[in-house]
Amino acid sequence: MADLEVYKNLSPEKVERCMSVMQSGTQMIKLKRGTKGLVRLFYLDEHRTRLRWRPSRKSEKAKILIDSIYKVTEGRQSEIFHRQAEGNFDPSCCFTIYHGNHMESLDLITSNPEEARTWITGLKYLMAGISDEDSLAKRQRTHDQWVKQTFEEADKNGDGLLNIEEIHQLMHKLNVNLPRRKVRQMFQEADTDENQGTLTFEEFCVFYKMMSLRRDLYLLLLSYSDKKDHLTVEELAQFLKVEQKMNNVTTDYCLDIIKKFEVSEENKAKNVLGIEGFTNFMRSPACDIFNPLHHEVYQDMDQPLCNYYIASSHNTYLTGDQLLSQSKVDMYARVLQEGCRCVEVDCWDGPDGEPVVHHGYTLTSKILFRDVVETINKHAFVKNEFPVILSIENHCSIQQQRKIAQYLKGIFRDKLDLSSVDTGECKQLPSPQSLKGKILVKGKKLPYHLGDDAEEGEVSDEDSADEIEDECKFKLHYNNGTTEHQVESFIRKKLESLLKESQIRDKEDPDSFTVRALLKATHEGLNAHLKQSPDVKESGKKSHGRSLMTNFGKHKKTTKSRSKSYSTDDEEDTQQNTGKEGGQLYRLGRRRKTMKLCRELSDLVVYTNSVAAQDIVDDGTTGNVLSFSETRAHQVVQQKSEQFMIYNQKQLTRIYPSAYRIDSSNFNPLPYWNAGCQLVALNYQSEGRMMQLNRAKFKANGNCGYVLKPQQMCKGTFNPFSGDPLPANPKKQLILKVISGQQLPKPPDSMFGDRGEIIDPFVEVEIIGLPVDCCKDQTRVVDDNGFNPVWEETLTFTVHMPEIALVRFLVWDHDPIGRDFVGQRTVTFSSLVPGYRHVYLEGLTEASIFVHITINEIYGKWSPLILNPSYTILHFLGATKNRQLQGLKGLFNKNPRHSSSENNSHYVRKRSIGDRILRRTASAPAKGRKKSKMGFQEMVEIKDSVSEATRDQDGVLRRTTRSLQARPVSMPVDRNLLGALSLPVSETAKDIEGKENSLVQI
């Protein structure tokens, strides 16, 4: 965003001139792939928040949010422009808008250069203003935009006024279930101008405030204001200390809150905070569930690299699936600015001696390696300076390898110079702090026995992280009667159809991809297509050119054992293939695969040497990176998790998705984080549960891409699958009171859209971490109210290792045949803030849940330190380390022995569609379920968490009884919320404060 800085200082006259032209509209040609271009009128809406165009068959979709624009480029730079014949359009009249998660491009051509310049300037000015906002300004802006947009969408006839019938329709859209008489009463109170019977936008704002009055917040204010309608500075300070657990609350801080959030000038003059100002404060980022201090880097960044989780991307260049999608250099810019610190570059021989980047043996498009490196160089350190790891997957000939090394050195320059890096102790990886501004090349390194004078040599190719299975390879088979174009066209159409089918899935189901069936169907269809051609000879002889492997739909052998339910690599290594193409050494009919590597590229690898599992030698050296597919990593984690954890205390491990995930779906990263794996690479282009977990994980610590692992994973070891993995450590108790919801929308996949029924919401809270901590609980259902439902229910969880735990809030709409997903928000446990907090749902402007959070430390009946004083020392120093390291050579075997029955108990089998429907139906709470009252217990007995819960079909624990229950130290909202506004005088904050239990408050 550095190039936007200049646009912040444009003169007001120039800004207004640009805005006037853009809002008036400009006719431009919109280029589309495969078409000649469409003439449309493009204009900026009156709020300057959306770019729109007309005419359009889908008028609601003919818009781009200014917030979603990633960049605007001048000239003919996009792929679509490059496909057009040269000279058709003047480059000075062309520009491209990149927007959305998949870096979609809107390619436009104006009638003259001045119009193009005006639009480019205006758009970049708007983008610069957004990038400069703080969180409070952004929340206020998005709220104001939402209210204005809501008014405009309700104004069906476009006259700038809302009548009572339009208001009733709006109530239904907003999931408000109020008696028509009550709605009419508020309508009449808000309708104060001469034009009776309609509301202007200003009157609608008054109406909306009346409708949005928060009863729960009003009662909360009354409980601290001695039943006045405002808080004094002293009362506000008391609330912040007692409820919000804030330290060092000063008078100036309270006065600043009143100044920022109070809307009444009279209240400001009196230095008091009224209900509207209090509501604004409680809904601001200051009272968000996420600790505001964690928006900045707060962890120790001077430890070795192996002590950190590192945000990592798989096949970074792809915008969609692994077989058909486009490759774009802008994906590198996007993921780097999102905080990713390890990106992947698949290098192949290209034409004219220029290496290219794409997914080999597929129909994905190709981009130049040089362009990729230039993009990384430009965007690597825009958001933060911590090091970037460049994972090079090298499939090139020696000549083009030298070209790769030349580009890396010529473009990155001193970013590759690691000579001045302080590594501290001997045989230890450097820290993120010492590597600031540096780029680490992860790749192969020539063996030391070759000597420095060797220009090239052979290295192992066993750990090639592209893991493109033979049945996934596209090597187009064409003879006299079938052209390459025909076969490629058939494959593309077939796969596009099957990929669309595979996308019909439960958004919360991590195992929803059916790639084996997809591959088999494509293979069978292709064979049938080829057999229909009379010129295709049916012989076992391989054709010239490229051939589609005959085992395209091959199924691996399976047994009852869980560890063999995933494909192994033994069979893959025996596949035979002859000949070379583009310098790539094909799989040979032997166990060991090798490839040629040039000295220039080898020398660029310093701390991140890619090694194969069988090359691991415990000689005390560091700087190796072991790459595993999720398939083999799953076996190692399940069967030798403690040894794997010890390995990860000195070296780096990268886990990447199985090649069978051709739809770019993502695996669950939690088991690998739990074993201490640093580089768990996900498909950033695929939105869903797993990327939400990944975002939540790395949002902490300033979203810098590095999160410190728990100390217990960096020294010593423990069994992550144990029922009590850290018995010497206190556990955390999370007491979560789910109070209410605000402006919850209809499900995004609702069949009838805004016209559908008013939702029946309930909240599900899930703890995600070590297996013993994984569990979920939910509230009752509230019927026919998505605007302001009230639950007032307390959920209690015990967490053994909070440092790696995630807390996931999900809102569902209950219906007779199951439930529909409304929204979610995932937060790291360590970033939770105690007190009354709002949980804003991700991607939804106004939707939120209001909760109260209490976190306690709890201890068992006995401490292992009492029974065995040396336990804690042995535990943390890893007394059994030598014994465990003896099995290091067997740690990464391709066919390890099966794990114990204890580990097997954590296996989750894939479910059929029928199982999934039954699970979803059964898991939805009954509407009539009685709300459980959570009584306070001073003395509680800590039971084993596994005995407290039952495991559902997901393999996730669902609470059946709650042995640890405590009432949050808070005002009695639940008793007063549905009753009269008057509060009992005796029940003061001090009375409640005196009821605190003996547990340690955080």
Side-chain angles (χ1 to χ4, degrees):
M1 293 293 179
D3 60 335
L4 295 179
E5 291 295 323
V6 65
Y7 291 92
K8 295 177 183 177
N9 302 316
L10 293 177
S11 66
E13 296 80 14
K14 188 168 186 177
V15 168
E16 284 308 311
R17 187 165 61 251
C18 288
M19 295 300 110
S20 175
V21 170
M22 293 165 71
Q23 288 179 323
S24 299
T26 304
Q27 276 204 337
M28 292 185 257
I29 298 174
K30 175 186 175 187
L31 281 188
K32 294 184 70 176
R33 193 185 306 275
T35 65
K36 294 181 179 179
L38 306 170
V39 178
R40 297 288 183 263
L41 179 69
F42 289 83
Y43 62 97
L44 183 69
D45 72 353
E46 61 177 302
H47 314 297
R48 302 179 180 179
T49 61
R50 287 174 175 78
L51 170 63
R52 309 199 67 137
W53 58 91
R54 60 175 185 260
S56 173
R57 286 178 295 177
K58 302 175 182 178
S59 57
E60 277 305 305
K61 293 187 177 181
K63 61 186 177 185
I64 294 175
L65 293 173
I66 301 299
D67 277 3
S68 73
I69 296 178
Y70 165 67
K71 71 173 181 178
V72 179
T73 60
E74 305 177 42
R76 301 162 46 87
Q77 296 189 35
S78 75
E79 181 187 351
I80 291 180
F81 272 123
H82 288 162
R83 286 172 179 254
Q84 300 291 326
E86 288 294 335
N88 281 0
F89 310 110
D90 181 357
S92 62
C93 296
C94 304
F95 66 100
T96 302
I97 300 170
Y98 292 94
H99 63 98
N101 289 335
H102 297 288
M103 300 295 292
E104 300 163 70
S105 66
L106 176 63
D107 301 275
L108 300 173
I109 305 163
T110 60
S111 56
N112 59 71
E114 185 180 346
E115 287 180 340
R117 186 71 251 162
T118 298
W119 274 87
I120 292 168
T121 302
L123 288 170
K124 289 191 173 183
Y125 169 79
L126 293 172
M127 292 166 64
I130 290 171
S131 68
D132 209 30
E133 285 180 332
D134 60 21
S135 56
L136 178 59
K138 185 172 183 178
R139 163 127 295 280
Q140 187 59 50
R141 176 177 59 81
T142 54
H143 170 76
D144 293 344
Q145 289 173 3
W146 183 86
V147 173
K148 185 68 176 176
Q149 181 187 352
T150 301
F151 176 83
E152 289 175 347
E153 290 177 356
D155 182 15
K156 301 298 183 183
N157 58 7
D159 62 356
L161 301 169
L162 297 185
N163 57 40
I164 188 65
E165 190 53 42
E166 289 172 326
I167 288 291
H168 283 310
Q169 292 176 15
L170 177 61
M171 295 294 98
H172 186 84
K173 176 184 175 181
L174 295 178
N175 290 305
V176 181
N177 187 17
L178 285 175
R180 295 176 76 90
R181 175 183 53 79
K182 180 67 175 175
V183 174
R184 181 171 290 278
Q185 179 185 340
M186 290 192 296
F187 183 95
Q188 290 171 346
E189 289 181 28
D191 187 10
T192 55
D193 65 1
E194 297 177 356
N195 191 9
Q196 291 292 301
T198 57
L199 299 181
T200 63
F201 174 68
E202 290 71 22
E203 290 172 332
F204 171 74
C205 290
V206 174
F207 173 85
Y208 181 76
K209 286 179 181 177
M210 293 166 59
M211 184 178 67
S212 305
L213 178 64
R214 292 277 300 278
R215 192 176 178 85
D216 49 1
L217 291 180
Y218 188 51
L219 293 171
L220 186 55
L221 179 143
L222 290 177
S223 69
Y224 274 88
S225 67
D226 194 21
K227 295 199 288 188
K228 303 189 301 293
D229 63 355
H230 62 265
L231 290 171
T232 64
V233 171
E234 294 75 17
E235 290 164 344
L236 177 58
Q238 179 73 357
F239 168 75
L240 296 177
K241 293 174 185 175
V242 174
E243 292 293 355
Q244 307 300 81
K245 308 300 178 191
M246 292 179 62
N247 299 319
N248 305 318
V249 178
T250 64
T251 300
D252 287 342
Y253 180 76
C254 295
L255 288 172
D256 189 52
I257 289 175
I258 294 171
K259 181 180 177 182
K260 279 184 180 178
F261 298 101
E262 179 55 54
V263 294
S264 165
E265 292 300 325
E266 183 181 350
N267 284 348
K268 282 184 181 180
K270 296 179 180 178
N271 287 333
V272 298
L273 191 66
I275 181 58
E276 198 171 341
F278 183 66
T279 300
N280 291 340
F281 170 65
M282 292 301 295
R283 287 184 64 82
S284 75
C287 293
D288 189 79
I289 194 171
F290 186 83
N291 189 335
L293 298 178
H294 291 190
H295 286 298
E296 306 295 330
V297 175
Y298 72 96
Q299 295 178 344
D300 177 12
M301 302 303 288
D302 288 311
Q303 298 190 31
L305 278 178
C306 53
N307 286 6
Y308 296 85
Y309 298 113
I310 304 172
S312 306
S313 164
H314 171 251
N315 286 358
T316 311
Y317 47 88
L318 291 180
T319 58
D321 66 79
Q322 303 287 309
L323 294 183
L324 305 171
S325 65
Q326 297 295 309
S327 304
K328 290 186 179 180
V329 295
D330 293 306
M331 290 301 293
Y332 288 93
R334 181 198 141 201
V335 302
L336 287 168
Q337 296 199 40
E338 285 181 6
C340 180
R341 295 286 92 183
C342 178
V343 295
E344 185 175 11
V345 187
D346 283 332
C347 304
W348 299 80
D349 279 1
D352 304 320
E354 288 291 332
V356 295
V357 175
H358 78 117
H359 198 203
Y361 307 110
T362 70
L363 303 180
T364 57
S365 61
K366 300 176 177 66
I367 51 180
L368 290 176
F369 176 81
R370 183 186 66 246
D371 293 344
V372 169
V373 176
E374 287 175 346
T375 301
I376 293 171
N377 186 57
K378 182 178 179 181
H379 296 277
F381 306 112
V382 170
K383 292 291 184 180
N384 74 79
E385 294 184 58
F386 290 107
V388 170
I389 300 173
L390 197 63
S391 182
I392 299 280
E393 290 303 320
N394 177 16
H395 308 277
C396 291
S397 60
I398 289 293
Q399 293 77 14
Q400 296 211 13
Q401 286 182 33
R402 292 194 173 103
K403 204 68 174 287
I404 288 174
Q406 176 188 330
Y407 285 136
L408 291 173
K409 289 186 284 189
I411 295 171
F412 289 149
R413 297 181 181 275
D414 59 345
K415 295 184 179 73
L416 293 177
D417 181 12
L418 304 178
S419 58
S420 62
V421 174
D422 179 19
T423 58
E425 297 179 23
C426 184
K427 295 183 179 179
Q428 179 174 284
L429 286 169
S431 68
Q433 184 69 32
S434 67
L435 289 168
K436 270 190 169 183
K438 299 297 183 182
I439 292 177
L440 304 179
V441 176
K442 172 189 163 295
K444 292 290 183 182
K445 198 165 181 64
L446 290 174
Y448 294 107
H449 65 75
L450 283 182
D452 294 339
D453 56 340
E455 291 298 318
E456 60 185 62
E458 286 199 347
V459 293
S460 168
D461 195 30
E462 291 288 337
D463 67 319
S464 182
D466 68 331
E467 203 207 51
I468 187 76
E469 307 293 348
D470 282 337
E471 59 263 48
C472 297
K473 289 182 180 178
F474 279 125
K475 294 179 152 190
L476 300 178
H477 184 85
Y478 55 94
N479 288 316
N480 297 333
T482 309
T483 66
E484 178 178 3
H485 175 74
Q486 287 174 327
V487 177
E488 181 172 339
S489 176
F490 172 81
I491 294 172
R492 186 176 290 277
K493 287 179 181 177
K494 183 71 176 176
L495 280 171
E496 282 177 346
S497 171
L498 288 164
L499 281 169
K500 285 178 182 176
E501 290 179 26
S502 75
Q503 289 166 1
I504 303 171
R505 67 185 72 171
D506 179 354
K507 285 185 172 61
E508 283 296 304
D509 184 358
D511 297 318
S512 59
F513 67 102
T514 55
V515 176
R516 289 182 188 275
L518 190 156
L519 291 169
K520 186 178 179 183
T522 308
H523 172 54
E524 291 172 351
L526 179 60
N527 278 346
H529 174 80
L530 293 176
K531 285 177 182 178
Q532 289 172 4
S533 174
D535 297 317
V536 177
K537 297 180 180 179
E538 296 184 6
S539 67
K541 187 178 179 180
K542 291 191 177 181
S543 69
H544 297 290
R546 296 181 290 174
S547 64
L548 184 70
M549 302 302 291
T550 56
N551 58 347
F552 189 84
K554 179 182 67 177
H555 283 263
K556 306 288 184 184
K557 292 181 179 179
T558 58
T559 68
K560 291 181 181 179
S561 167
R562 177 193 65 233
S563 64
K564 287 191 178 180
S565 66
Y566 295 85
S567 63
T568 64
D569 295 341
D570 282 346
E571 296 159 86
E572 300 156 15
D573 293 331
T574 62
Q575 302 298 324
Q576 293 193 8
N577 222 322
T578 59
K580 293 183 180 180
E581 178 182 276
Q584 167 66 20
L585 201 69
Y586 278 87
R587 295 175 183 266
L588 303 177
R590 55 190 170 96
R591 177 77 178 179
R592 189 106 172 133
K593 295 184 298 177
T594 60
M595 63 172 288
K596 290 279 189 183
L597 179 67
C598 74
R599 169 66 63 184
E600 294 92 326
L601 194 53
S602 170
D603 288 345
L604 296 179
V605 178
V606 182
Y607 297 114
T608 46
N609 176 28
S610 296
V611 294
Q614 56 267 40
D615 294 334
I616 294 290
V617 178
D618 184 28
D619 59 358
T621 60
T622 58
N624 293 330
V625 182
L626 185 64
S627 288
F628 270 156
S629 75
E630 60 173 292
T631 304
R632 203 186 303 172
H634 173 84
Q635 296 172 342
V636 176
V637 167
Q638 290 289 322
Q639 298 166 24
K640 299 189 177 183
S641 57
E642 293 182 59
Q643 290 168 267
F644 200 15
M645 194 177 294
I646 290 174
Y647 175 83
N648 287 324
Q649 290 171 6
K650 292 292 183 183
Q651 310 283 8
L652 298 175
T653 303
R654 181 174 183 267
I655 313 296
Y656 55 89
S658 163
Y660 288 109
R661 294 185 181 272
I662 60 172
D663 59 347
S664 294
S665 59
N666 281 311
F667 59 90
N668 184 1
L670 259 296
Y672 311 108
W673 287 335
N674 291 347
C677 299
Q678 300 88 355
L679 300 157
V680 182
L682 299 183
N683 292 305
Y684 270 56
Q685 73 272 30
S686 298
E687 188 51 52
R689 174 185 170 92
M690 302 314 165
M691 270 307 297
Q692 291 161 1
L693 301 184
N694 193 72
R695 267 200 304 273
K697 179 83 169 177
F698 290 102
K699 185 175 181 182
N701 204 33
N703 197 33
C704 72
Y706 288 84
V707 171
L708 194 60
K709 295 197 293 189
Q711 191 63 25
Q712 299 93 326
M713 285 187 180
C714 300
K715 293 181 180 179
T717 185
F718 63 92
N719 180 5
F721 297 103
S722 168
D724 192 4
L726 299 168
N729 290 15
K731 304 168 184 63
K732 297 285 188 184
Q733 181 194 50
L734 172 63
I735 304 171
L736 184 67
K737 188 175 184 181
V738 183
I739 300 171
S740 62
Q742 294 77 42
Q743 291 144 352
L744 305 176
K746 291 178 171 61
D749 298 328
S750 174
M751 184 181 299
F752 298 104
D754 295 336
R755 296 179 290 108
E757 292 182 351
I758 292 175
I759 66 172
D760 307 324
F762 67 94
V763 177
E764 182 179 69
V765 180
E766 182 179 4
I767 305 296
I768 306 166
L770 292 182
V772 69
D773 291 334
C774 290
C775 60
K776 56 178 73 170
D777 205 349
Q778 59 196 26
T779 67
R780 62 186 174 85
V781 173
V782 172
D783 290 329
D784 296 332
N785 187 353
F787 190 75
N788 54 3
V790 175
W791 292 284
E792 276 288 323
E793 292 196 46
T794 300
L795 312 177
T796 306
F797 303 93
T798 301
V799 182
H800 292 71
M801 184 173 269
E803 297 92 340
I804 60 172
L806 301 171
V807 183
R808 186 167 171 83
F809 298 85
L810 299 112
V811 177
W812 299 93
D813 174 24
H814 174 69
D815 63 52
I817 61 169
R819 59 183 184 176
D820 294 314
F821 177 77
V822 174
Q824 68 83 35
R825 172 86 178 275
T826 308
V827 184
T828 54
F829 189 100
S830 57
S831 295
L832 295 178
V833 192
Y836 284 99
R837 304 289 166 182
H838 279 91
V839 184
Y840 280 95
L841 302 184
E842 195 174 272
L844 299 174
T845 306
E846 292 293 296
S848 63
I849 314 166
F850 188 46
V851 301
H852 184 279
I853 292 175
T854 304
I855 301 175
N856 300 318
E857 279 192 357
I858 57 176
Y859 298 84
K861 288 181 178 178
W862 54 271
S863 166
L865 191 60
I866 298 173
L867 300 181
N868 181 4
S870 65
Y871 178 87
T872 305
I873 298 171
L874 292 172
H875 180 74
F876 285 105
L877 295 184
T880 60
K881 194 167 184 176
N882 290 334
R883 176 176 58 80
Q884 290 164 326
L885 281 175
Q886 289 174 3
L888 190 60
K889 277 195 174 285
L891 174 58
F892 305 118
N893 284 347
K894 292 185 176 180
N895 281 318
R897 293 180 181 177
H898 306 314
S899 60
S900 64
S901 59
E902 178 188 0
N903 287 349
N904 282 337
S905 66
H906 296 284
Y907 173 65
V908 182
R909 68 175 179 86
K910 293 182 181 178
R911 300 182 302 277
S912 67
I913 293 176
D915 289 339
R916 204 174 301 145
I917 292 173
L918 288 174
R919 173 182 63 82
R920 292 175 62 191
T921 306
S923 65
K927 291 190 180 183
R929 181 165 75 90
K930 212 168 185 178
K931 185 177 75 172
S932 55
K933 297 288 184 181
M934 298 300 162
F936 176 78
Q937 299 180 0
E938 285 192 0
M939 300 298 291
V940 294
E941 182 175 337
I942 302 170
K943 299 180 180 179
D944 186 89
S945 63
V946 177
S947 66
E948 292 179 344
T950 57
R951 200 171 285 276
D952 69 4
Q953 292 181 4
D954 296 327
V956 176
L957 295 179
R958 285 189 178 275
R959 300 294 188 189
T960 53
T961 59
R962 297 171 184 152
S963 61
L964 295 173
Q965 299 170 353
R967 184 180 188 79
V969 183
S970 61
M971 51 76 62
V973 172
D974 53 343
R975 273 199 295 176
N976 297 292
L977 191 63
L978 301 175
L981 289 181
S982 59
L983 289 176
V985 178
S986 60
E987 189 88 357
T988 64
K990 290 183 178 179
D991 294 333
I992 301 166
E993 192 177 1
K995 295 179 184 178
E996 288 185 321
N997 62 345
S998 59
L999 301 178
V1000 182
Q1001 289 280 341
I1002 305 298

